[in-house]
Amino acid sequence: MKIKIFTILTAVTILTGCLEGDNYIRYRDYIPMKASLLPDTMILNETYNISILATAPNSCWHSLEVFVNTESDTAYFFSASATFENHGEVCNPEVVTLDTIIQFTPTVNKTHLLHFYNPSDLNPIRIDTVYIKAE
C-alpha cells in the first residue's frame, strides 16, 4: 500500500512539473528580517511589542511569514520565510515586505535569550539577552 501511495505521489509531482513547464521554479526559503531593539530589562508578566520587518528582494517572492519558535521557557527563536515562484517571467526589482508586531510576555523570572535569524547579515544570528525582574 505504501508503495502505491508513493508511486501516485511521484506521478502527480512529475505531472505537475510538466504542466508548469521547464522554466517553473518554486521554493520556500529564509528571508532577511530586522527586529526592533529590546530593553535590557523586562518586567515579569508585562507584555512588550517586538516590531519585525521581513523583506524579499523582488516581485517573485510572496507569502512572507514571521515565526517564533520556543526552545524553552527562556529561549526564543525568531525567523522569517517566503515563497519564491517564477514561471519564466522577469522578477520586478521591488521590495516585498511584511511588517508585523509580535507581543512578548516573559512569564519566568530568569534571564531570557531571544535569537533573531537574518540570513543576509555577516553574523546571521542576533542574540538579545533580556533580564527579567519581578515588580
Side-chain angles (χ1 to χ4, degrees):
M1 182 65 174
K2 289 182 182 179
I3 294 173
K4 287 182 183 179
I5 293 173
F6 177 74
T7 304
I8 292 170
L9 289 175
T10 303
V12 169
T13 303
I14 291 170
L15 182 60
T16 304
C18 292
L19 292 175
E20 292 293 346
D22 290 339
N23 293 330
Y24 180 67
I25 300 171
R26 180 185 170 108
Y27 62 91
R28 189 145 186 95
D29 203 357
Y30 289 105
I31 57 171
M33 69 169 212
K34 298 288 183 192
S36 59
L37 296 177
L38 300 177
D40 292 336
T41 303
M42 291 183 177
I43 307 297
L44 185 67
N45 296 316
E46 188 171 312
T47 301
Y48 295 85
N49 291 329
I50 301 173
S51 178
I52 295 181
L53 177 64
T55 59
N58 60 56
S59 63
C60 289
W61 290 91
H62 63 85
S63 303
L64 283 68
E65 292 183 82
V66 172
F67 299 96
V68 181
N69 295 314
T70 305
E71 179 71 21
S72 70
D73 59 359
T74 60
Y76 300 87
F77 294 83
F78 296 79
S79 62
S81 71
T83 299
F84 179 88
E85 189 167 12
N86 185 285
H87 299 270
E89 73 275 10
V90 173
C91 299
N92 295 324
E94 60 191 53
V95 177
V96 181
T97 62
L98 172 65
D99 193 4
T100 189
I101 293 178
I102 295 177
Q103 293 188 327
F104 178 76
T105 306
T107 58
V108 178
N109 195 10
K110 294 184 196 175
T111 301
H112 284 52
L113 297 176
L114 285 75
H115 303 78
F116 297 93
Y117 179 62
N118 186 354
S120 64
D121 282 354
L122 185 57
N123 296 317
I125 299 177
R126 177 184 117 194
I127 302 173
D128 286 6
T129 303
V130 179
Y131 300 97
I132 309 301
K133 69 176 186 175
E135 191 161 53

